[in-house]
Amino acid sequence: METKYANFSDGRYEALNRVELEIPILCPHCGVSNNPINRIQGHNGYSNTYIAFFSHTCTACNITFFTIQSFIKTNDKYAKKAIMLAVSPSSHNRKFEERIETFSPRFVSSYNQAFSAEQSGNLDLAGMGYRAAEEILIKDFALKIIENGSPEKREEIAKLNLNNTIGKYFKDDQALLVSTDVVRINGNDYAHWDRSDDFDTDSHLQEQKAYLEIFINIVNTRLMIINPPVSREKH
Ligand SMILES: [Zn+2]
C-alpha cells in the first residue's frame, strides 16, 4: 500500500508533539486523496517504542478509518516519523451506488481490481485496469440501456472494439463521447510500448479516473431516470 505522511501534534504528550503519522495515500473507504482529520484514541510508551492508536475521518466521504502508529525509540528519544503498523479497513474496495452494483457487477469487480493495483503503486496496471473496467460499463450501457437488452445486439456489441462501440453509440452525446474517449485514450497509453519518456503516469491516471467518474455519474443518472421511485400514474 502506498502511504504518505501527515502532520500531527498533541502538546500534552512529549512523544506526540509535532510528529508525522504514516497514513494510506488514498482513503480506504472512498479512494479519494486522503487529508483526514486525525485524532488520537489511545497510546502507551514502551522501552523501545511508543505505540498510538488513531482515528482518521476522511474529509471527502466523512467515514473514519483507523491506524496503529509506532514511534521507535533511539538514544532515549522517540522518532518524530511514525511507522504505520496496521490500518483498518485494510480491504480497499470502493463502494458504488447500489444501482451501479446491480447494473454491472463485473464493472465493479474490475474497477476494484484496478483500484487495488493503484493502491499498491502499480500504476501502469491500474491504468489498463480502469480502461478495461470502463469497457465493460460502456458495453453494458450500450446493450442494457440503449438497445433495451436485445439478444441479437448482444452478439454485435461483443464484437465491437472499444473505439467503435463509443463511435457507434455515444457520438451524438457530447458528455458520453468526451468522458469515455478520454479514459480510452489515456488507458491506451499504459499499454503502449512507444510512449514518451516524460509520460507522467500519476497525473494521467488521476485525469483518467476523473473522466471515468463523469461516465459513472452519467450511467447512475440514466438509471435513476429509467427507474424512478415514483411514477406519474400513481400520483
Ligand atoms: Zn473517504
Side-chain angles (χ1 to χ4, degrees):
M1 178 191 303
E2 275 209 294
T3 59
K4 66 172 188 177
Y5 289 95
N7 291 326
F8 179 83
S9 193
D10 189 331
R12 290 176 297 171
Y13 315 107
E14 162 101 59
L16 298 172
N17 193 22
R18 293 165 177 265
V19 294
E20 289 180 83
L21 309 179
E22 187 183 13
I23 60 170
I25 227 165
L26 302 174
C27 165
H29 295 289
C30 68
V32 171
S33 67
N34 205 3
N35 287 303
I37 297 159
N38 308 305
R39 293 189 186 90
I40 178 136
Q41 301 293 351
H43 56 100
N44 212 348
Y46 300 91
S47 60
N48 57 345
T49 181
Y50 200 88
I51 302 285
F53 169 48
F54 282 86
S55 67
H56 311 269
T57 305
C58 172
T59 47
C61 70
N62 224 9
I63 304 176
T64 300
F65 65 96
F66 304 92
T67 65
I68 296 173
Q69 309 274 335
S70 158
F71 303 85
I72 306 271
K73 196 178 200 176
T74 37
N75 300 331
D76 232 32
K77 270 193 147 57
Y78 292 115
K80 290 292 173 191
K81 239 178 180 167
I83 297 166
M84 185 176 76
L85 300 181
V87 56
S88 177
S90 61
S91 69
H92 307 282
N93 277 353
R94 158 140 179 218
K95 198 87 188 91
F96 285 91
E97 298 261 3
E98 192 66 41
R99 226 173 271 113
I100 297 279
E101 306 237 0
T102 313
F103 178 70
S104 187
R106 260 193 74 200
F107 162 73
V108 171
S109 160
S110 291
Y111 183 102
N112 275 323
Q113 288 176 41
F115 187 32
S116 163
E118 182 186 357
Q119 289 169 99
S120 307
N122 299 318
L123 300 188
D124 281 343
L125 201 55
M128 290 182 250
Y130 285 124
R131 184 191 179 282
E134 186 205 37
E135 178 159 355
I136 293 167
L137 192 59
I138 283 176
K139 291 197 168 184
D140 276 345
F141 187 96
L143 179 66
K144 296 181 189 174
I145 296 182
I146 301 177
E147 299 288 11
N148 291 315
S150 149
E152 303 88 72
K153 294 289 177 186
R154 193 179 199 293
E155 297 290 300
E156 209 176 289
I157 291 169
K159 285 186 193 124
L160 291 173
N161 67 25
L162 185 56
N163 193 10
N164 292 341
T165 315
I166 294 171
K168 181 170 159 73
Y169 287 100
F170 297 169
K171 67 177 185 314
D172 299 325
D173 185 317
Q174 188 74 355
L176 279 175
L177 185 65
V178 171
S179 60
T180 52
D181 240 6
V182 172
V183 183
R184 178 183 68 82
I185 294 162
N186 267 338
N188 285 344
D189 288 335
Y190 296 97
H192 277 165
W193 173 76
D194 63 342
R195 80 177 177 206
S196 67
D197 289 339
D198 57 4
F199 183 80
D200 183 342
T201 312
D202 191 38
S203 74
H204 269 80
L205 191 70
Q206 294 318 317
E207 182 180 83
Q208 186 190 12
K209 281 180 79 183
Y211 279 88
L212 178 54
E213 209 54 42
I214 296 174
F215 179 53
I216 295 167
N217 285 328
I218 295 174
V219 176
N220 193 39
T221 308
R222 289 285 177 92
L223 291 171
M224 286 174 81
I225 292 167
I226 295 168
N227 302 302
V230 292
S231 66
R232 292 192 72 86
E233 289 88 68
K234 292 187 204 135
H235 292 268

